[in-house]
Amino acid sequence: MVRLTEQQIQFYKDNGYIHLKKLIKDDELQRLSKEYDDLFRRKNQAKTESAWVGSDDTFRESDSPYTVKGIHNLQMHHAVFGKLLYNDDLLDALEDVMGTKNIVLHHTKAHYKPPEKGASYPMHQDYPYFPYEKDSMVAAFVNLDDSNPENGGLFVYPGSHKFGPLEDFGPKEGSSFHYVDQKKFPIERATPVIAEAGDVVIFSYFLVHGSTPNNSTRPRRMFLAQLADAHDRPISGERGQPGRGWVLRGVNMDRDATIANRAQD
């Protein structure tokens, strides 16, 4: 059992994120690492581009030498990723941070930044992609490799979650993606999260965050789950996600059980 201290919970409230060391232990980490690598090897690499270039209609094709390979909803590909979502230490920490015993899945994804050519991500909030009424949404960012600025690690603006939704510069600049004003939030002034394999970073979907390119000789692999309070709701319609609403802990008292709506996600 991993319960956060009052000091850790206060740190999260003040900063919008918490870095938990070695939350994923050796045996589970090794199994995750193996199945992660196997999954990326057997999928079509040309159609898993996840850098913020182009559009999904063209599989994000671009002339850039930099790349990020990504796969969503990993629990649909191998059981080890679904099992991770029920990791008690992870759920204990999420319960303490989120302030609820009722936790549901929104989606999962993995981003693989290859050595020497891993693309960066501009500073952004997750909020514009899936705004919720009570803003309960958090990310659990699982590091499968040691990460730092050299191999494309995570950067954050501590306390930026307190600003709430910030102006979305992506559409203003003709992009298909959502990001904040890069002049106001340059990555050079952000705080790097120096992590080891097995570390987990939990952060609010209002936290301004991004990452540098991977110019090192090492990969940077991550697994991320977005989670919400079971009794929170999307502000507007959103694209369905396999497993969205899957109860990981507690109960969903609002879930519709009528036959007519049985096929809704």
Side-chain angles (χ1 to χ4, degrees):
M1 177 179 290
V2 175
R3 305 312 306 219
L4 302 189
T5 66
E6 291 183 6
Q7 290 80 5
Q8 286 175 309
I9 295 171
Q10 189 60 49
F11 181 92
Y12 177 84
K13 291 178 179 178
D14 292 341
N15 293 278
Y17 77 101
I18 185 77
H19 179 182
L20 303 172
K21 303 290 289 183
K22 297 292 185 181
L23 195 69
I24 309 302
K25 304 299 189 293
D26 293 342
D27 288 348
E28 184 173 16
L29 185 62
Q30 289 175 12
R31 289 194 297 272
L32 286 166
S33 182
K34 177 185 181 302
E35 297 304 336
Y36 188 104
D37 289 345
D38 286 350
L39 175 58
F40 274 92
R41 272 194 293 267
R42 67 177 181 263
K43 293 303 173 183
N44 185 336
Q45 294 290 306
K47 294 186 178 181
T48 61
E49 181 57 56
S50 291
W52 283 2
V53 293
S55 71
D56 288 351
D57 294 337
T58 58
F59 300 108
R60 304 192 186 185
E61 292 178 353
S62 80
D63 296 327
S64 173
Y66 284 87
T67 182
V68 177
K69 301 305 181 184
I71 296 174
H72 278 235
N73 302 305
L74 279 76
Q75 73 279 5
M76 309 302 288
H77 293 273
H78 196 283
V80 71
F81 302 108
K83 187 174 182 180
L84 173 60
L85 297 173
Y86 284 99
N87 179 295
D88 282 330
D89 290 343
L90 176 59
L91 289 171
D92 285 345
L94 286 165
E95 182 179 320
D96 290 340
V97 161
M98 298 171 68
T100 178
K101 295 181 180 294
N102 307 309
I103 300 170
V104 296
L105 177 69
H106 187 270
H107 72 277
T108 67
K109 66 180 179 182
H111 282 166
Y112 168 69
K113 288 190 180 187
E116 299 180 343
K117 59 178 183 179
S120 62
Y121 281 100
M123 304 306 289
H124 65 280
Q125 296 177 311
D126 293 337
Y127 168 84
Y129 289 100
F130 29 77
Y132 267 54
E133 293 176 357
K134 300 178 183 178
D135 301 320
S136 67
M137 188 76 69
V138 301
F141 185 113
V142 180
N143 292 272
L144 298 182
D145 295 302
D146 295 352
S147 68
N148 56 39
E150 286 69 42
N151 72 330
L154 181 67
F155 280 72
V156 301
Y157 265 86
S160 57
H161 66 301
K162 295 179 180 179
F163 298 138
L166 292 166
E167 185 176 3
D168 186 1
F169 270 65
K172 286 179 60 175
E173 298 181 349
S175 174
S176 302
F177 307 98
H178 302 285
Y179 49 84
V180 299
D181 185 348
Q182 303 300 292
K183 293 179 180 178
K184 187 177 291 185
F185 295 97
I187 198 166
E188 292 80 9
R189 292 211 302 265
T191 299
V193 179
I194 311 299
E196 296 179 282
D199 290 2
V200 175
V201 183
I202 300 173
F203 56 88
S204 162
Y205 78 164
F206 285 139
L207 183 75
V208 175
H209 63 285
S211 62
T212 48
N214 183 2
N215 292 315
S216 76
T217 58
R218 300 178 290 116
R220 196 223 67 178
R221 298 170 302 160
M222 60 80 92
F223 170 92
L224 183 143
Q226 296 279 174
L227 311 114
D229 185 326
H231 303 113
D232 203 352
R233 293 288 174 270
I235 289 176
S236 58
E238 58 177 352
R239 184 169 58 184
Q241 297 274 0
R244 186 178 70 183
W246 189 2
V247 179
L248 303 179
R249 175 167 285 188
V251 62
N252 184 350
M253 300 296 291
D254 298 337
R255 181 70 182 181
D256 191 345
T258 58
I259 293 297
N261 294 327
R262 66 188 181 276
Q264 292 184 357
D265 70 355

